């Protein structure tokens, strides 16, 4: 069965899915890490590939930017394509100087001011959590690979450009203990909770609010390989 957003047939997508936001990052992962990858979706350029990684069938699919896009694709993957585990692998802006460019963080909780959960099923939760089992597997995998992985609380925002009268990153860090920001993880975690599935979120620091440092678009697509390797190995 396909959907208006996904031309893949049931069975074309693996039980374990890696979800970068960027379609070109999905393409990069498929071409550089998967054996015999097949393009199973290209509707709206939300590229999805399925291939083998160390003997395990794995899919990688772009979520697009923001909670509405992640909300659509993750819900359909869980509910229509029988996906069990989704690991988001995205970029993040650091709110604290303790996080540097290319550091990898693991969301141990996500805070959001978004109305996504309330609109989706009436939930008033503003803090959501990943699958403990999946997070433990990711932490153990990073340890085995010798990679430093920082568990933290992520701010998941609907808005990229805020006006000056709104709380800035320093206030959000102070009030909610968030050390970095993304735009998709809250919707992913909510859908996983609603549908009794598993979700986790790995993020690579691509820019820093305190220092102004930024990775280029090409670096965001191709240089976040530590995060990619941890996620892939966690699927094996």
């Amino acid at each position: 069965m396909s959907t208006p957003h996904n031309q893949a047939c049931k069975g074309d997508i693996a039980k374990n899915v890696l979800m970068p936001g960027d379609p070109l990052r999905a393409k990069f992962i498929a071409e550089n890490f998967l054996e015999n990858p097949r393009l199973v979706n290209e509707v709206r350029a939300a590229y999805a590939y399925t291939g083998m990684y160390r003997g395990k069938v794995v899919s990688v699919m772009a979520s697009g930017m923001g909670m509405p896009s992640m909300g659509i694709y993750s819900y359909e993957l869980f509910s229509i394509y029988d996906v069990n585990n989704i690991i988001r692998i995205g970029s993040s802006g650091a709110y604290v100087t303790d996080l540097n460019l290319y550091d990898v963080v693991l969301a141990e909780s996500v805070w959001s001011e978004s109305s996504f959960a309330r609109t989706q099923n009436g939930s008033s939760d503003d803090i959501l959590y990943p699958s403990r089992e999946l997070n433990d597997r990711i932490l153990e995998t990073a340890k085995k690979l010798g990679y430093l992985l920082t568990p933290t609380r992520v701010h998941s925002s609907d808005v990229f450009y805020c006006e000056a009268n709104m709380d800035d990153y320093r206030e959000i860090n102070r009030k909610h203990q968030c050390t970095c920001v993304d735009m998709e993880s809250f919707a992913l975690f909510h859908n996983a909770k609603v549908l009794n599935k598993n979700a986790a979120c790995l993020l690579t620091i691509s820019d820093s609010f305190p220092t102004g440092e930024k990775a280029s678009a090409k670096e965001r697509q191709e240089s976040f390989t530590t995060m990619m390797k941890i996620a892939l190995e966690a699927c094996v």
Side-chain angles (χ1 to χ4, degrees), residues 76-90:
E76 291 182 349
L77 289 177
F78 284 142
S79 65
I80 296 173
Y81 291 93
D82 298 329
V83 169
N84 291 330
N85 306 301
I86 294 178
I87 303 175
R88 164 161 158 69
I89 46 173

Side-chain angles (χ1 to χ4, degrees), residues 104 106 134-151 202 226-227 229-231 233-234:
V104 181
L106 176 67
L134 194 50
N135 261 33
D136 287 347
R137 194 189 316 164
I138 290 168
L139 285 167
E140 183 62 28
T141 298
K143 184 178 179 181
K144 285 181 180 177
L145 294 173
Y147 290 132
L148 179 64
L149 186 57
T150 304
L202 278 167
T226 296
M227 169 179 68
K229 290 174 184 176
I230 293 171
E233 288 291 328

Side-chain angles (χ1 to χ4, degrees), residues 67 88 91-93 110 154-158 180-186 201 203:
M67 292 193 215
R88 164 161 158 69
S91 57
S92 176
V110 173
V154 175
H155 172 207
S156 195
S157 179
D158 277 332
C180 59
V181 61
D182 87 332
M183 300 187 73
E184 291 82 26
S185 55
F186 187 79
C201 177
L203 300 169

Side-chain angles (χ1 to χ4, degrees), residues 21-201:
D22 185 352
L24 295 180
R25 192 180 301 145
K27 184 174 185 286
F28 176 85
I29 295 166
E31 292 178 347
N32 289 274
F33 291 99
L34 299 185
E35 295 177 25
N36 303 315
R38 294 184 296 118
L39 179 64
V40 296
N41 181 66
E42 54 185 341
V43 175
R44 296 175 182 256
Y47 300 141
Y49 298 86
T50 297
M52 301 295 292
Y53 182 79
R54 296 215 300 120
K56 184 86 170 185
V57 183
V58 176
S59 293
V60 54
M61 181 176 185
S63 71
M65 286 199 297
M67 292 193 215
S69 188
M70 169 60 86
I72 290 170
Y73 291 117
S74 62
Y75 195 95
E76 291 182 349
L77 289 177
F78 284 142
S79 65
I80 296 173
Y81 291 93
D82 298 329
V83 169
N84 291 330
N85 306 301
I86 294 178
I87 303 175
R88 164 161 158 69
I89 46 173
S91 57
S92 176
Y95 283 173
V96 295
T97 54
D98 290 344
L99 294 176
N100 301 306
L101 241 57
Y102 303 112
D103 283 354
V104 181
V105 303
L106 176 67
E108 59 183 4
S109 62
V110 173
W111 173 81
S112 185
E113 67 277 71
S114 174
S115 62
F116 182 91
R118 185 168 65 253
T119 302
Q120 202 278 331
N121 78 336
S123 171
S124 60
D125 293 337
D126 62 357
I127 297 175
L128 293 175
Y129 300 89
S131 159
R132 179 176 294 180
E133 180 183 347
L134 194 50
N135 261 33
D136 287 347
R137 194 189 316 164
I138 290 168
L139 285 167
E140 183 62 28
T141 298
K143 184 178 179 181
K144 285 181 180 177
L145 294 173
Y147 290 132
L148 179 64
L149 186 57
T150 304
T152 194
R153 173 169 290 177
V154 175
H155 172 207
S156 195
S157 179
D158 277 332
V159 179
F160 194 87
Y161 298 108
C162 288
E163 296 303 307
N165 62 310
M166 304 304 291
D167 282 351
D168 71 1
Y169 72 92
R170 287 162 290 209
E171 286 298 298
I172 292 170
N173 170 248
R174 183 181 67 81
K175 291 178 179 178
H176 305 287
Q177 296 77 54
C178 301
T179 66
C180 59
V181 61
D182 87 332
M183 300 187 73
E184 291 82 26
S185 55
F186 187 79
L188 172 62
F189 287 5
H190 174 77
N191 282 347
K193 181 180 179 181
V194 167
L195 297 168
N196 197 29
K197 299 285 188 167
N198 302 310
C201 177

